[in-house]
Amino acid sequence: EPTRSLLSVFEEDAGMLTDYTNQLLQSMQRVFGAQSEMGLATEQLSRQLLDYEKKNFALGKGDEEVICTLQNFAKTVGELNSLHSELANQMADSMVFPLIQFREKDLTEISTLKEIFGIATDEHEAAMVKYSRLPKKKENEKLKSDLVKEVAYTRRKQHQASLQYYCALNALQYRKRVAMLEPMLGYTQAQISFFKKGIELMSKKMDNCLSSVSDMTQSIQAQLDTEAEAMRGSQREFLSVEDTVYMPDKDIEPVNRTLIQKAGYLNIRNKTGLVTTAWDRLYFFTQGGNLMCQPRGAVAGGMVLDLDNSSVMAVECEDRRYCFQITSPSGKTSMILQAEGKREYEEWICTVNNISRQIYLTDNPEAVAIRLNQTAIQAVTPITSFEKRPEGSPNPDRSAKPGGVYVTSSGSQKTGAAPEPEDLIAPGTPIQFDIMLPASEFQDQNRAGGRRTNPFGETDDDCLTETDSLLQQVFAVRFQGSMAVRCGNNQEVIYEAMRQVLAARAIHNIFRTTESHLMSPNSYYIITNQYSLTSQFQLGDVCQFAAHQENGRLMGFVVEGRDWSDGDEEGEPSFSAFVFESNTEGEKICYTINLAKDITEAKKDPEALAQLMKNMPLTSDGKFLLLEPETGDTSNGAEEDLESEA
């Protein structure tokens, strides 16, 4: 914004110079064209020359010598009150023409470059409006790429136009001095050559002055040449950068969370009706404890909101990215703003958070802001998103009770750099939207002579032991899809399978799902609404399971099987990922799977089993495990519903 303010000063100066040049030219043309009124014309010209000092140009530094010289010229012009035709011809060549050339070449160039700069600015604003409307949930990579390229192109075009415009404005400060002096130098020389009788007097009075003016104009021209070359070098350096510099949301500098003042462009959400809204891109800046806004064309900004004791948080709004809301202490006034990129988004939230605590009033606000950095970090997380938990660590608020978050299976930890999607799932892998066992598992059952198990746990000979019956749990689920994967020891393969399955459903408009039930104990059954067994998974074959990190109702697991297509007796290991949407939290299902695997493992050691069962909450009759406390079910359920709705 300081650049805009400085630019307005240059533009105001150029406008004043244009007006002054037109007036000066009119005066000279009057001298040239009106011989009969030469006295009046020269008197007006004299007054006009003296007005240069009265204009008080904002960028008039270095004009002292010009002003002094113009004052001397004004005195001389006052003494010249007659003209002849020969003098008129000399004046046409040496006085009128240079100023006309300055107006038509230099001032017209400024006007043209200003129009080009305005057009480039409007194109950039239009590109930013389209980019700001880029959706977040259903992101179109091609559309995003096109919009990013369009923003970069218009931003580069605006940058190039602005550099040319700024260089011309800078050069104008030198050229105006030459333009002011050169016509009068020609005019005076014409007068000296014409008036034979007064040549000695004129020479004594003006020779030294004219020589000084000539040297001064040459010096100014040399300065202009040096400055122009430096500006051209700077322009080439600025335009040699990569296109990524102009691309939004490509910041390479780290986020500064200790700021106590901030300025930049933001999109503000305004209501245009009962249910309609509009977004405007305006310049915002902080001043003390106030949030200020400066509309386009305004000389100064106005206060929008008092930030003292206000609250700021990231929000999800109209499928736009990088939105945050500022609310007054009373809660009656709030506004939703959108930043251009992630870095600006987090810095604005941290800055407002620091100002709201009145850090700027302390003796060392930077040190206080560093101490409050953690609070600012917490404000950046959107309130409508589930917080992503570190791998391998459950939620500290819920890990102490059954049904808590369980995001890693036993014996598997994610280490090193995140694998690429091609390493997890082969490109082009088909997706199955109807639940069924992998082909390898059907072959395994046929080879082993296995038989179907009753989905309700009723068997003829192999009755369930007491330990098995402890963990009978049924979950209502909706099968989303399954696909073959390349590994079974990495959680990322489940997240990638979830992403591909949900994306495929959206692309192919597959929204219908079948209500099923997922039940245990020692195996997991998938039962349709008609209570017919669809699929059975042995817990020992479930090698990885996880709940979605943001959508708590999504969960998935990887089942290991064998592939005998190569004729190997033992078969090659194969993995399939299954994705479900549950009515309850997927983390609870993951916890149940882990608990069942722990019980199965503990059965091998009676002492370990006894210790495990001792630590598990049981019902009053001691027959079943309690996955949720008997008290507080209603409140917990309400909290889960509120969390899901959020």
Side-chain angles (χ1 to χ4, degrees):
E1 190 59 25
T3 303
R4 289 182 56 197
S5 300
L6 186 59
L7 177 61
S8 64
V9 175
F10 274 80
E11 290 178 340
E12 181 181 1
D13 189 85
M16 294 176 62
L17 180 60
T18 301
D19 295 337
Y20 176 79
T21 302
N22 291 330
Q23 295 172 4
L24 183 60
L25 182 59
Q26 290 176 2
S27 299
M28 292 183 176
Q29 287 175 339
R30 183 176 181 182
V31 173
F32 169 74
Q35 296 183 16
S36 59
E37 298 180 356
M38 182 56 63
L40 296 176
T42 52
E43 183 181 358
Q44 182 182 4
L45 176 59
S46 178
R47 290 197 304 267
Q48 197 67 47
L49 292 174
L50 294 175
D51 283 345
Y52 183 82
E53 181 182 9
K54 300 177 183 179
K55 291 296 182 180
N56 294 324
F57 290 107
L59 302 174
K61 183 179 180 181
D63 286 352
E64 293 79 6
E65 294 182 353
V66 175
I67 293 174
C68 181
T69 306
L70 290 178
Q71 290 175 347
N72 293 333
F73 279 130
K75 294 179 181 179
T76 303
V77 171
E79 299 174 359
L80 302 175
N81 52 14
S82 62
L83 282 176
H84 300 285
S85 60
E86 183 178 353
L87 177 61
N89 293 331
Q90 293 178 358
M91 290 168 51
D93 296 333
S94 59
M95 182 181 68
V96 180
F97 177 74
L99 196 60
I100 291 179
Q101 189 178 31
F102 169 72
R103 185 184 68 173
E104 298 300 327
K105 180 181 178 182
D106 299 322
L107 296 182
T108 303
E109 180 186 12
I110 293 294
S111 178
T112 303
L113 290 176
K114 182 178 180 180
E115 293 179 1
I116 295 175
F117 174 69
I119 294 173
T121 301
D122 294 339
E123 291 177 354
H124 173 251
E125 292 298 326
M128 285 305 304
V129 169
K130 293 192 290 185
Y131 175 79
S132 299
R133 295 174 179 172
L134 189 66
K136 177 181 178 182
K137 295 181 179 178
K138 296 182 179 179
E139 190 166 305
N140 188 324
E141 292 297 331
K142 184 177 184 305
L143 177 59
K144 179 180 177 182
S145 176
D146 293 342
L147 290 179
V148 167
K149 291 180 180 178
E150 182 179 354
V151 170
Y153 171 75
T154 56
R155 189 168 288 177
R156 188 183 189 95
K157 182 178 178 181
Q158 183 195 30
H159 192 191
Q160 184 176 6
S162 64
L163 289 176
Q164 294 176 348
Y165 185 33
Y166 299 163
C167 291
L169 287 174
N170 290 332
L172 184 64
Q173 302 307 313
Y174 296 92
R175 290 171 178 167
K176 75 175 182 180
R177 301 173 190 174
V178 177
M180 297 297 107
L181 300 176
E182 187 177 4
M184 295 313 305
L185 178 62
Y187 171 78
T188 307
Q189 290 175 341
Q191 290 285 5
I192 293 175
S193 63
F194 182 78
F195 290 105
K196 298 294 185 179
K197 293 181 181 181
I199 190 170
E200 291 183 1
L201 178 63
M202 295 292 292
S203 298
K204 291 179 181 180
K205 293 178 58 177
M206 300 298 295
D207 274 351
N208 293 334
C209 180
L210 295 179
S211 177
S212 176
V213 172
S214 179
D215 294 340
M216 184 168 58
T217 56
Q218 292 178 4
S219 175
I220 295 174
Q221 185 65 41
Q223 294 179 24
L224 171 59
D225 295 339
T226 303
E227 184 70 16
E229 182 61 29
M231 288 188 292
R232 284 193 292 268
S234 300
Q235 184 175 355
R236 287 192 298 268
E237 181 181 354
F238 289 147
L239 296 179
S240 63
V241 298
E242 299 292 335
D243 288 342
T244 54
V245 175
Y246 298 93
M247 293 181 179
D249 204 15
K250 293 290 184 180
D251 298 305
I252 58 176
E253 298 181 2
V255 177
N256 187 353
R257 304 183 185 278
T258 61
L259 296 174
I260 56 175
Q261 58 182 3
K262 181 73 175 171
Y265 282 94
L266 296 172
N267 291 333
I268 182 171
R269 181 175 179 263
N270 297 317
K271 284 189 175 181
T272 57
L274 294 177
V275 294
T276 57
T277 59
W279 294 80
D280 297 323
R281 189 167 182 262
L282 301 175
Y283 184 83
F284 288 85
F285 61 96
T286 60
Q287 190 176 73
N290 299 325
L291 179 64
M292 314 289 287
C293 176
Q294 183 171 349
R296 297 186 181 279
V299 179
M303 191 183 78
V304 178
L305 189 65
D306 184 0
L307 298 179
D308 288 343
N309 299 318
S310 63
S311 62
V312 58
M313 64 184 68
V315 295
E316 301 286 350
C317 183
E318 297 183 7
D319 197 22
R320 287 187 174 227
R321 302 180 299 172
Y322 310 131
C323 293
F324 59 96
Q325 176 175 300
I326 305 176
T327 306
S328 63
S330 63
K332 297 181 179 179
T333 304
S334 65
M335 62 175 58
I336 296 179
L337 304 171
Q338 180 189 20
E340 177 180 311
K342 183 177 181 181
R343 177 171 170 267
E344 287 290 307
Y345 160 75
E346 295 192 9
E347 285 189 351
W348 269 107
I349 291 179
C350 295
T351 302
V352 175
N353 187 64
N354 293 336
I355 295 176
S356 67
R357 287 160 174 74
Q358 300 182 351
I359 296 177
Y360 63 93
L361 298 177
T362 60
D363 295 335
N364 191 355
E366 288 78 9
V368 179
I370 293 175
R371 290 198 300 269
L372 295 177
N373 182 26
Q374 186 60 35
T375 305
I377 294 176
Q378 295 174 356
V380 174
T381 305
I383 60 174
T384 57
S385 300
F386 290 96
E387 182 179 0
K388 294 186 177 180
R389 307 172 183 84
E391 292 87 357
S393 62
N395 189 322
D397 297 333
R398 304 180 61 183
S399 59
K401 68 183 183 71
V405 179
Y406 193 88
V407 296
T408 59
S409 61
S410 59
S412 62
Q413 294 289 339
K414 185 173 70 173
T415 60
E420 296 295 331
E422 294 78 5
D423 299 333
L424 303 174
I425 301 176
T429 301
I431 299 176
Q432 181 67 42
F433 297 107
D434 293 326
I435 182 67
M436 64 176 58
L437 286 176
S440 59
E441 186 160 339
F442 282 118
Q443 296 175 6
D444 189 19
Q445 289 184 356
N446 293 333
R447 291 169 63 90
R451 63 182 183 84
R452 276 189 168 180
T453 306
N454 192 300
F456 303 101
E458 300 174 359
T459 59
D460 295 333
D461 300 324
D462 301 328
C463 296
L464 298 175
T465 64
E466 181 180 358
T467 304
D468 292 330
S469 63
L470 285 174
L471 192 58
Q472 293 187 7
Q473 183 74 5
V474 179
F475 298 99
V477 296
R478 288 171 294 279
F479 179 70
Q480 301 295 314
S482 63
M483 60 191 309
V485 297
R486 286 181 166 176
C487 61
N489 60 348
N490 194 319
Q491 270 191 345
E492 296 297 329
V493 73
I494 299 178
Y495 300 145
E496 179 63 20
M498 290 178 179
R499 187 190 69 80
Q500 293 194 20
V501 167
L502 295 181
R505 280 184 169 270
I507 292 173
H508 299 289
N509 296 323
I510 302 175
F511 302 108
R512 184 178 60 86
T513 58
T514 303
E515 187 77 20
S516 306
H517 291 82
L518 187 69
M519 62 181 299
S520 61
N522 58 346
S523 299
Y524 259 82
Y525 305 96
I526 304 298
I527 304 175
T528 62
N529 283 333
Q530 289 74 26
Y531 295 98
S532 59
L533 179 63
T534 303
S535 294
Q536 174 184 355
F537 305 97
Q538 296 295 332
L539 285 176
D541 295 336
V542 178
C543 56
Q544 187 71 234
F545 49 90
H548 197 278
Q549 292 177 313
E550 294 184 357
N551 187 349
R553 295 182 182 273
L554 279 180
M555 64 83 57
F557 54 79
V558 178
V559 177
E560 181 178 358
R562 293 290 169 178
D563 185 5
W564 287 275
S565 59
D566 295 336
D568 190 352
E569 182 64 25
E570 296 183 358
E572 294 292 331
S574 62
F575 303 94
S576 299
F578 294 81
V579 180
F580 297 90
E581 182 185 24
S582 62
N583 292 339
T584 58
E585 290 187 5
E587 297 164 347
K588 186 185 299 183
I589 301 177
C590 293
Y591 174 83
T592 307
I593 296 175
N594 183 68
L595 183 60
K597 293 174 74 69
D598 289 346
I599 293 176
T600 303
E601 186 67 24
K603 285 168 57 179
K604 301 176 182 178
D605 185 356
E607 295 182 0
L609 178 60
Q611 184 65 28
L612 177 65
M613 302 309 299
K614 182 179 179 181
N615 296 331
M616 293 297 173
L618 303 176
T619 57
S620 58
D621 56 6
K623 292 184 178 181
F624 300 99
L625 285 173
L626 281 175
L627 296 183
E628 293 288 345
E630 291 182 349
T631 61
D633 290 345
T634 304
S635 61
N636 290 341
E639 291 177 0
E640 292 177 356
D641 291 340
L642 289 175
E643 184 180 7
S644 300
E645 291 175 359

